[in-house]
Amino acid sequence: MSGRLQGKAAIVTGAGGGIGAATAQLFCAEGARVLLVDMDAAALERTGARIREQVPGASVQLLAANVADPASATEAAKQCVEAFGRIDVLVNNASMRNYASFADATPEEWHAVVGVNMVGTANFCRAALPHLRQAGQAAIVNVSSCYAVKGRKGMALYDATKAAIVAMTRTLAFEETPNGVRCNVVCPGSTLTDFHVNRTQAAGKSVEELKTQRQDTSLLGRWAEPMEIAWPILWLASDEASFITGTTLLVDGGLHIK
């Protein structure tokens, strides 16, 4: 590891598993001190323990919280500053899924998904920005989805809010560049996260069977591993991407051009 985030402090939401957990581990391996946020306290503890085991000397803090609650964002910023003295990087990865069609989705379902995916992202940006501005060379990386730019059926709420995150990130880039905060968005494709694995096993299917289900959803013909999404997030968070802001990076194995 090259110490790309040496001396920096980061907040990663949705860090209980999948892309968030991989990102937090990679950040620690690259020298960052990281506050992990997730509403699943047990998953958060497992992630924290795994990082400490696999990254000797890793400095991690845990916060079990729902990102849709603005008080959680305030507490996260406070805890990060108290523990590490600063905030240099914010990764908004937490998200909520819903499988209703446009015709069937209820207002309550819309509010729930918007509350996590859009308002949750806004909550953490608002709470962290005063500290990110003080850091000098700070970065926000929002995690959207390849389906923010490519249509499909059956995921109206999720995809609409993921598209909104792309627009929100552009606005952030315009507003925060004068304050020394770069803002970019990563759009992952099909990723073999804990969510998909657990959902498959609950349906009585094997992980090997799951792996055969996305062979036609990218040019590469396979799922991504969470770490394959974490690496681009790391790059955008690091000073290596110092001339990049307002960018949407598709990390989807070519799905968006199929």
Side-chain angles (χ1 to χ4, degrees):
M1 295 298 174
S2 61
R4 290 170 171 173
L5 298 181
Q6 193 66 44
K8 296 193 176 186
I11 297 174
V12 179
T13 71
I19 294 169
T23 299
Q25 180 175 327
L26 186 56
F27 276 23
C28 287
E30 290 285 346
R33 297 160 292 171
V34 185
L35 171 66
L36 287 63
V37 181
D38 200 288
M39 67 184 303
D40 186 336
L44 202 57
E45 290 289 345
R46 289 193 296 271
T47 298
R50 185 167 60 250
I51 291 174
R52 293 186 184 102
E53 177 184 352
Q54 297 184 3
V55 185
S59 181
V60 295
Q61 293 279 318
L62 310 180
L63 176 63
N66 183 350
V67 299
D69 179 3
S72 296
T74 302
E75 177 58 30
K78 178 183 175 184
Q79 184 172 332
C80 189
V81 171
E82 288 180 349
F84 306 136
R86 57 194 296 131
I87 305 175
D88 300 275
V89 179
L90 169 64
V91 178
N92 284 302
N93 170 70
S95 68
M96 178 181 181
R97 288 175 173 267
N98 183 292
Y99 293 90
S101 67
F102 255 111
D104 297 328
T106 66
E108 291 75 19
E109 287 175 305
W110 273 104
H111 284 300
V113 177
V114 168
V116 173
N117 296 1
M118 290 175 58
V119 178
T121 296
N123 286 340
F124 273 73
C125 287
R126 184 176 60 251
L129 274 169
H131 307 284
L132 292 166
R133 291 166 179 169
Q134 292 175 8
Q137 291 183 324
I140 294 174
V141 183
N142 292 326
V143 180
S144 177
S145 167
C146 60
Y147 290 106
V149 299
K150 185 175 177 68
R152 60 177 168 173
K153 63 181 181 180
M155 292 287 286
L157 288 70
Y158 181 84
D159 293 355
T161 54
K162 288 297 185 176
I165 288 172
V166 173
M168 290 165 63
T169 305
R170 288 196 297 262
T171 300
L172 269 172
F174 268 103
E175 293 181 353
E176 294 304 322
T177 295
N179 299 316
V181 183
R182 296 182 298 104
C183 307
N184 294 290
V185 60
V186 168
C187 293
S190 300
T191 306
L192 200 61
T193 63
D194 306 81
F195 174 85
H196 291 294
V197 170
N198 294 338
R199 192 164 179 260
T200 295
Q201 291 176 334
K205 299 178 181 179
S206 70
V207 176
E208 290 307 312
E209 185 178 355
L210 172 65
K211 290 180 178 180
T212 68
Q213 295 177 359
R214 299 295 177 98
Q215 293 180 351
D216 61 345
T217 59
S218 75
L219 296 184
L220 297 181
R222 62 173 177 83
W223 293 79
E225 293 294 333
M227 196 61 76
E228 292 181 285
I229 313 300
W231 281 108
I233 293 172
L234 166 68
W235 180 64
L236 287 173
S238 76
D239 292 342
E240 292 178 7
S242 57
F243 199 59
I244 300 177
T245 195
T247 289
T248 301
L249 179 59
L250 277 296
V251 189
D252 65 351
L255 172 62
H256 66 283
I257 63 171
K258 283 198 74 173

